[in-house]
Amino acid sequence: MITADNLPETTRDGKFDLVAYLKAKQQLCEAALEKALPMQYPETIYEAMRYSLLAGGKRLRPILCLATTEMLGGTTDMAMPTACALEMIHTMSLIHDDLPAMDNDDYRRGKLTNHKVYGEDIAILAGDGLLAYAFEYIAAQTQNVPPQQVLQVIAKLGKAVGAAGLVGGQVVDLESEGKSDTSLKTLNYIHRHKTGALLEICVVSGGVLAGGTPEDLQRLSAYAQNIGLAFQIIDDILDITATQEKLGKSIGKDQQAQKVTYPSLWGIEESKKQAEQLIAEACAQLKPFGEKAQPLLALGHFIVSRDR
Ligand code: FPP
Ligand code: MG
C-alpha cells in the first residue's frame, strides 16, 4: 500500500514525472477518502454519500491542495483533512448540479447519478451531509497546524462555496440558460465563481496550512484564478469535442441548454489559445518558488492538455 512515506519516484531522467505523481497522489487521496467516510447508521445516507465520493475522478482538487502545502514546505498529513474536505464539497456540488431541478443529468464519472440510484430526496440530503461533514472534518481532523490557520481555511472555504462563490456562480449560470446574448463579462463571472472559486481555495488553503506569507497567498490566488478559467475553457471545448465514454458524463449539453460558452464566442482554436495564455500567466506567478513549484506547473499544463 502506498503511504505518504513511500511514494513512488516522481522524477525520471531528472525530469518531473506528472503521471507518476498523479497516480501516487490519487492513491493517497482514495485511501484517505475511504477512511474519512466509513459506513454507519443510517446506512441509506452513508451509502449515497460514499457512492458519489468514492466514484473515482481525477482528484485534481485535493491534489492541488496537497501540492501547494508541500511546495511551501508543509507535509501531506497537515493538508489531507482539508484535501478530503475539498473533494467532499466538489462531489456534493456535482450531486446537486445533476438533480432534475438543475441540469437533470443521468451519468457522472461513468456511473448513474446519485438521484438516479437513491432518489432525489436522498441525493439532496447526501449533498447536504457531505457539505456539513467537510467543515467538521477540517476542524476536527487537522493536526500540526496552528489553530489560527485552520480557522482561516474554514472561513475562506465557507466564502468560496457560498453565495459569494460556487452558489452565486451556479445561480447566474442557471439564469443564463437559453440566453444567447450572455456577455463575456457574465460568462467570466459564472466561471470565476462556479468553477474558479473552488479551485482557488484548493490552492490557497494549501498555502494557508503551510503558513504561506501574504505575498505567497497573493501569488497562489493569481495562479489558481488563471488555471480555473483555463480549466473551464477546456471543459467547454470537451463538451463539444469529447465522447460520453471518455468524459463519463453526457456531452453536448451546453448547446442543448443554449448556453453561451467560450468556444461559442471565440471558436475552438481561439479558445485553446486563450487557455494556453492563461496557463502561461498562471505559471509565471510561481517563479519565486523555483524548483519546488514543479508539481503545480505541471498540473497547470495538464489542465489545458487534458482530454477528459
Ligand atoms: C458543474 O458544472 C457544477 C459545478 C461546477 C458547481 C455547481 C454548484 C452547485 C450546484 C452549488 C452547490 C452548493 C454548494 C453549497 C457548494 P457544469 O454543469 O457546467 O458541468 P458538468 O458538465 O460537469 O455538469
Ligand atoms: Mg452540469
Side-chain angles (χ1 to χ4, degrees), residues 61 89-90 92-99 102-103 105 107-108 127-128 131 135 160-163 165-171 173-174 190-191 193-196 198 231-232 235-236 239 247 249-251 253-254 259:
R61 289 158 187 82
I89 292 177
H90 174 54
M92 73 72 54
S93 77
L94 298 179
I95 295 175
H96 283 190
D97 179 69
D98 290 335
L99 286 167
M102 299 214 202
D103 285 357
D105 266 309
Y107 288 94
R108 172 72 66 183
D128 294 343
L131 180 62
F135 286 94
V161 304
L166 249 81
V167 168
Q170 179 78 346
V171 168
D173 190 24
L174 291 172
I190 293 170
H191 296 310
H193 292 78
K194 193 181 78 165
T195 319
L198 190 59
F231 183 91
Q232 189 58 48
D235 228 50
D236 285 357
D239 191 60
L247 290 190
K249 61 183 186 182
S250 30
I251 51 157
K253 290 175 306 176
D254 294 336
K259 275 188 192 173

Side-chain angles (χ1 to χ4, degrees), residues 117-265:
V117 179
Y118 299 99
E120 277 181 58
D121 46 4
I122 295 298
I124 292 169
L125 291 166
D128 294 343
L130 284 168
L131 180 62
Y133 190 50
F135 286 94
E136 176 192 340
Y137 203 67
I138 297 175
Q141 299 296 329
T142 306
Q143 283 173 355
N144 303 321
V145 178
Q148 204 53 39
Q149 282 160 230
V150 181
L151 212 51
Q152 219 189 324
V153 166
I154 292 171
K156 283 181 185 290
L157 182 58
K159 186 169 179 195
V161 304
L166 249 81
V167 168
Q170 179 78 346
V171 168
V172 181
D173 190 24
L174 291 172
E175 286 172 353
S176 75
E177 272 181 30
K179 288 189 189 157
S180 55
D181 58 348
T182 300
S183 65
L184 181 59
K185 193 170 163 227
T186 305
L187 192 63
N188 282 337
Y189 179 93
I190 293 170
H191 296 310
R192 283 191 194 288
H193 292 78
K194 193 181 78 165
T195 319
L198 190 59
L199 287 170
E200 187 177 352
I201 186 63
C202 291
V203 174
V204 170
S205 63
V208 172
L209 291 167
T213 64
E215 198 210 320
D216 291 338
L217 300 185
Q218 188 53 45
R219 287 188 170 276
L220 292 172
S221 281
Y223 160 83
Q225 283 172 11
N226 282 326
I227 64 162
L229 213 47
F231 183 91
Q232 189 58 48
I233 295 174
I234 300 301
D235 228 50
D236 285 357
I237 294 175
L238 291 175
D239 191 60
I240 302 168
T241 59
T243 60
Q244 173 159 345
E245 292 69 42
K246 195 101 188 169
L247 290 190
K249 61 183 186 182
S250 30
I251 51 157
K253 290 175 306 176
D254 294 336
Q255 215 177 358
Q256 252 172 39
Q258 293 174 295
K259 275 188 192 173
V260 168
T261 63
Y262 292 105
S264 79
L265 287 178

